[in-house]
Amino acid sequence: MSVLVLCERRSDGIDEPSLQALAFARALYPGTSVHALACGVAADEVAPLLGAYGVETLHVAEHEVFDTYAPHAVARAAVELAGRLRLHALLAGGSEQGNEVVARVGALLDLPFAANCVAAEAGPPLRVTRVRWGGSLLEEALLHAELALLTVAPHAVAAQETNDGPAAVERFAPALDDADLLVRVRERARAAGGGVTLADAKVVVSAGRGAGSAEGFAPVEELAALLGGAVGCSRAVTMAGWRPHTDQVGQTGTKIAPELYIACGISGATQHMAGCKGAKRILAINTDPDAPILESADYAVIGDLHDVVPAIAAAIRAARNEKAGAE
Amino acid sequence: MRILVAVKRVPMTGGTIVLTPDARAIATQHLGFTISPHEECAVEEAVRLVEREGGESVVLTLGPPEAEEQLRDAMAVGIDRAIHLVTDEEEWDGQATAGAIVEAVRAEEASSGPFDLLLFGNESADAGGYQVGVRVAHALGLPCVTGLKGIEVRGRLVRCEQEVPGGRDVFEVPLPALLTVKEGLNLPRYPSVPGRMRARQRPIARHEPQRPPARLEKLRFVVPEGERKEAEILGRGPEAAPKVVELLDQLGLLR
Ligand SMILES: Cc1cc2nc3c(=O)[nH]c(=O)nc-3n(C[C@H](O)[C@H](O)[C@H](O)COP(=O)(O)OP(=O)(O)OC[C@H]3O[C@@H](n4cnc5c(N)ncnc54)[C@H](O)[C@@H]3O)c2cc1C
Ligand SMILES: Nc1ncnc2c1ncn2[C@@H]1O[C@H](COP(=O)(O)O)[C@@H](O)[C@H]1O
């Protein structure tokens, strides 16, 4: 018996969630041979990398459709391969793409699928712990299936290198019909670059309903600019139309991982906090000393953001002027 | 156009999640309920498309009798009518949910004609299964594009945009199709008072599907141990600013 991990390509190799899924699979079935499927990759570039992460055999599906992202064709290729291997489990990273492709495999094979697992114990039945509510709640469940389908929640485990040599490569051309080729990226619209993105910013300054209006964001923007950071907001703000949804932090917005998250006039609902679990430190600015966000914040200033934020901006300027003067 | 939208009733948890004593559900006595945000956008998109192209929109949910509230909410912003697959309080797994929805869609299409578009959320807010829409599409033999933040119907084709790091990926599929969407697709409208009144009159068709055994069988929930922190109070009001600057300096963020 063996396991199969679907590996998502990235311009410079294989994406991190796939490597994490490999570590998860090896821990779940120690000693079992690990197969990987990658679509549309240069086998000789990827085989050494995947070998180093414990893959015994790399299966490369070849078809012109894999020049772009074609999730249904990937699922078809995985199903074809799964039919040839004797598998305990088929896994992928818990990225949008990993979840989508494994869901399609589940639909094609009419098998249950557990998305975003953080732990698992071999069965049968396989026992999983999976993430719900964007990370605010865990579910323990049994997966009743001959072939377990699951994805691994991002950062549930770390990618782990072994000292193995390159994976053996097996190429195949999956049988795909017109319907399988339909869903594919036709065009990539690149966003105009520039500016710090919310997901990558080292500092994020957010405001919530406490900002009171779209204009209430002026001092927040100023503080973010002074710190070279990005502006974020809560869903209360996007629903009010004060900021675009691209600024929203949370379960249904962007997940952020800054060094410092400054959350002004945000109460700290679980769905908001689901988006900033990756923040190293949180500073809350809130009029209410009992706001739930104070239970996940490292630092707090109790006060009206309309007074506190401009005062911080002024103090930063003063401190910088002083430093400049001293030099 | 005929459009179906699938929505799920979920609790609005606040600052902490509290479980029932058997840990098999969230304690909801003190909570309100809502439609997941992704699905609110699906509802709004369906209403806009029918406003523009004509036709009919239908909202469907599988859930307890109280889920009628979410069907009324959807009709209050302009959905024409509803299908309620009434269950007991027990949650269904993704496969069972998809199976019941497929049957309901087939029955509805047999009586009222085919749908051009089926809209789902990319993932439900509470279960986060990432699968019901994909399964329904497969069973109905429809093309499926997921996680969309842009939808544009052009005749019998639909152009679909997914947000990816650095830009957008564009797909194009023929109708009929099933699309799953994400919040940010549009800004949903608020229901008006007349809208709410009208929604009370709109028809709801009810069915009681039988729940098959769960193949992803929930045992219990666990609230993850976030580190509960005692925030260090840096001060009150604007006088706290110097302390904040000190902190920024310590963290190397002042440069
Ligand atoms: C399924 C689902 C998904 C969701 N996804 C998200 C998501 O991705 N992101 C998200 O943010 N929310 C999300 N929400 C909504 C979430 O539950 C909360 O409703 C929302 O985060 C509240 O926003 P808020 O903190 O700005 O507003 P409120 O909860 O109203 O809090 C306002 C806070 O500001 C403080 N305040 C008021 N005035 C001032 C002032 N002048 N100065 C300083 N402080 C002040 C108040 O004390 C209070 O703490 C989701 C909800 C659901 C049900
Ligand atoms: N009980 C339900 N009733 C109606 N639609 C549902 C239900 N559960 C899930 N869906 C739809 O399927 C999508 C994906 O759900 P999930 O697979 O649970 O993440 C949701 O966003 C809804 O559109």
Side-chain angles (χ1 to χ4, degrees):
Chain A
M1 298 288 274
S2 49
V3 291
L4 174 63
V5 177
L6 310 186
C7 289
E8 190 64 45
R9 88 183 139 192
R10 219 178 45 181
S11 52
D12 58 343
I14 295 295
D15 78 350
E16 193 63 24
S18 303
L19 300 180
Q20 293 167 3
L22 281 169
F24 191 95
R26 288 195 296 118
L28 178 56
Y29 298 106
T32 304
S33 55
V34 179
H35 295 255
L37 170 66
C39 295
V41 296
D44 40 334
E45 281 168 30
V46 174
L49 172 76
L50 286 178
Y53 285 89
V55 174
E56 227 173 80
T57 311
L58 163 65
H59 302 264
V60 176
E62 295 180 329
H63 191 286
E64 57 81 23
V65 75
F66 298 131
D67 291 349
T68 65
Y69 179 56
H72 199 71
V74 176
R76 277 282 180 210
V79 167
E80 186 181 313
L81 182 59
R84 284 203 296 272
L85 302 171
R86 284 182 56 234
L87 295 177
H88 290 294
L90 182 154
L91 299 87
S95 59
E96 290 293 335
Q97 303 195 334
N99 281 323
E100 164 174 23
V101 170
V102 181
R104 287 178 193 265
V105 171
L108 288 165
L109 296 175
D110 196 22
L111 286 174
F113 158 43
N116 289 317
C117 296
V118 292
E121 264 172 63
L126 185 76
R127 195 187 171 103
V128 298
T129 304
R130 56 178 295 270
V131 157
R132 285 185 167 230
W133 283 104
S136 309
L137 188 62
L138 298 174
E139 171 190 1
E140 294 175 4
L142 298 176
L143 194 61
H144 297 284
E146 322 69 64
L147 167 58
L149 304 182
L150 49 103
T151 57
V152 180
H155 308 297
V157 295
Q160 232 164 37
E161 286 192 69
T162 60
N163 291 320
D164 301 332
V169 174
E170 302 222 356
R171 295 165 213 272
F172 72 113
L176 300 172
D177 63 25
D178 287 348
D180 300 328
L181 304 180
L182 203 52
V183 181
R184 67 206 284 186
V185 175
R186 307 276 162 173
E187 173 188 329
R188 297 221 134 142
R190 288 285 142 237
V196 191
T197 67
L198 198 51
D200 302 327
K202 274 180 70 180
V203 181
V204 174
V205 189
S206 278
R209 202 190 306 276
S213 65
E215 295 71 43
F217 271 81
V220 173
E221 283 183 347
E222 188 195 11
L223 180 57
L226 276 172
L227 295 172
V231 174
C233 70
S234 72
R235 182 164 186 254
V237 167
T238 39
M239 293 304 283
W242 300 343
R243 305 287 299 186
H245 183 268
T246 43
D247 285 359
Q248 183 176 314
V249 171
Q251 182 182 342
T252 52
T254 302
K255 308 253 185 309
I256 60 170
E259 294 290 315
L260 178 66
Y261 181 43
I262 307 182
C264 315
I266 290 179
S267 62
T270 53
Q271 302 89 4
H272 184 81
M273 301 318 288
C276 45
K277 286 196 180 350
K280 285 242 176 63
R281 292 178 185 78
I282 299 178
L283 162 62
I285 301 176
N286 203 301
T287 43
D288 177 5
D290 296 323
I293 193 162
L294 266 68
E295 283 166 23
S296 6
D298 302 271
Y299 313 97
V301 174
I302 308 304
D304 187 328
L305 73 93
H306 300 101
D307 304 331
V308 177
V309 175
I312 296 172
I316 291 173
R317 283 211 188 81
R320 283 194 178 144
N321 283 339
E322 210 172 289
K323 268 192 192 164
E327 274 157 22
Chain B
M1 285 192 89
R2 294 193 69 235
I3 306 179
L4 180 97
V5 188
V7 303
K8 187 176 184 188
R9 169 183 172 87
V10 297
M12 278 192 273
T13 62
T16 44
I17 292 181
V18 181
L19 301 180
T20 55
D22 68 359
R24 288 180 53 82
I26 293 178
T28 53
Q29 302 89 300
H30 307 292
L31 300 180
F33 287 82
T34 183
I35 295 174
S36 301
H38 295 329
E39 296 146 32
E40 271 181 25
C41 290
V43 166
E44 174 66 30
E45 198 70 14
V47 171
R48 287 186 194 182
L49 281 166
V50 169
E51 280 171 354
R52 198 163 53 234
E53 315 250 336
E56 186 192 35
S57 56
V58 181
V59 62
L60 175 150
T61 196
L62 176 138
E66 299 80 12
E68 180 174 334
E69 180 191 352
Q70 280 61 49
L71 297 175
R72 298 277 175 214
D73 286 350
M75 292 190 285
V77 294
I79 297 284
D80 296 308
R81 60 191 176 85
I83 300 172
H84 189 169
L85 306 179
V86 187
T87 65
D88 55 13
E89 300 295 324
E90 187 67 32
E91 189 183 38
W92 291 34
D93 72 358
Q95 241 175 325
T97 304
I101 293 176
V102 167
E103 262 190 47
V105 170
R106 287 203 177 116
E108 171 66 27
E109 292 194 323
S111 61
S112 310
F115 288 108
D116 300 290
L117 199 56
L118 289 84
L119 296 177
F120 283 64
N122 186 62
E123 84 276 4
S124 57
D126 60 339
Y130 289 83
Q131 57 190 271
V132 172
V134 172
R135 289 186 189 275
V136 171
H138 179 69
L140 296 173
L142 298 174
C144 175
V145 192
T146 67
L148 303 181
K149 291 212 177 166
I151 290 175
E152 201 188 314
V153 173
R154 300 174 169 172
R156 294 303 292 171
L157 285 179
V158 57
R159 184 186 148 93
C160 307
E161 292 186 8
Q162 244 175 24
E163 214 163 64
V164 293
R168 290 192 164 206
D169 275 353
V170 183
F171 297 74
E172 197 170 60
V173 292
L175 297 178
L178 188 151
L179 308 179
T180 82
V181 307
K182 284 192 180 183
E183 191 180 35
L185 174 70
N186 52 41
L187 186 58
R189 71 194 72 183
Y190 284 102
S192 62
V193 174
R196 289 214 171 272
M197 305 284 281
R198 250 194 328 271
R200 277 193 231 148
Q201 315 302 325
R202 294 200 168 161
I204 299 181
R206 292 184 184 79
H207 309 280
E208 288 187 24
Q210 286 303 303
R211 177 159 58 91
R215 296 185 69 191
L216 178 58
E217 186 195 348
K218 175 172 74 188
L219 298 175
R220 70 180 66 82
F221 287 149
V222 180
V223 178
E225 299 172 30
E227 320 156 53
R228 210 189 156 89
K229 292 178 184 161
E230 189 72 49
E232 177 188 340
I233 308 289
L234 299 180
R236 292 185 167 262
E239 287 74 50
K243 276 294 249 324
V244 174
V245 172
E246 222 172 90
L247 171 69
L248 293 169
D249 200 19
Q250 270 170 31
L251 298 178
L253 297 170
L254 272 193
R255 275 169 308 174

